[in-house]
Amino acid sequence: MYRSMEYGDTARVIKPTDPVEYRLGTVTEVRYSTPHTTHARSYTLRFPNGDERTYPAANVRRATRADDRAALESALTAACVALRFACRIAHDYDADLSSGSASLLRRLVDLASLRLGLTLDPANPAWPQRTRNQNGGDQ
């Protein structure tokens, strides 16, 4: 069933064109095609930097902070994989570059652990280890 977003809902632009549009926006205005319909024609989003922009309804999707967490986990895992390969290449190329890239990898692993509770294994970063809750299930 179609349900348009309402004032105060959070949303994301489907195909962002600049850095502002990658951020989570808040719906501040909904325009409908006719006064007696629930089908939205366009949404106005306010972004964290204060910008307000209007988009056709087809270019905006409902999103939450949970979506942000999933995107962060994916991005940090991809960064860990890339840094792991960079460390391997740097090891044979230059000792200073090798220690610097290893330091970046360690910082990334620590950041993921401290801020998100995500355990990245640098030996196998493509499979993040989730912490277990009290019942023994994944969080």
Side-chain angles (χ1 to χ4, degrees):
M1 178 177 162
Y2 175 80
R3 184 176 76 85
S4 66
M5 289 184 277
E6 299 171 1
Y7 179 83
D9 286 348
T10 53
R12 208 176 275 294
V13 177
I14 293 174
K15 292 183 181 178
T17 58
D18 64 31
V20 171
E21 292 179 347
Y22 280 93
R23 309 278 306 266
L24 193 64
T26 303
V27 176
T28 59
E29 184 179 357
V30 181
R31 292 194 184 113
Y32 297 99
S33 52
T34 64
H36 305 290
T37 186
T38 59
H39 192 322
R41 182 173 31 120
S42 66
Y43 295 106
T44 301
L45 301 180
R46 178 182 298 128
F47 295 97
N49 66 349
D51 283 1
E52 284 196 11
R53 300 179 184 182
T54 302
Y55 300 96
N59 295 354
V60 177
R61 69 174 173 82
R62 188 180 314 271
T64 65
R65 288 284 172 212
D67 298 325
D68 282 350
R69 181 180 172 89
L72 275 171
E73 286 182 8
S74 175
L76 289 174
T77 300
C80 190
V81 170
L83 272 173
R84 181 187 67 179
F85 289 124
C87 286
R88 289 180 178 168
I89 295 167
H91 179 73
D92 294 333
Y93 185 76
D94 180 9
D96 289 336
L97 187 59
S98 177
S99 63
S101 58
S103 175
L104 283 174
L105 181 59
R106 183 73 245 160
R107 288 181 189 168
L108 179 65
V109 168
D110 289 344
L111 176 72
S113 174
L114 292 172
R115 303 299 293 174
L116 293 175
L118 181 66
T119 304
L120 295 175
D121 179 7
N124 188 14
W127 300 103
Q129 307 299 315
R130 293 200 177 260
T131 55
R132 296 221 171 239
N133 63 20
Q134 292 288 32
N135 298 331
D138 289 338
Q139 282 186 335

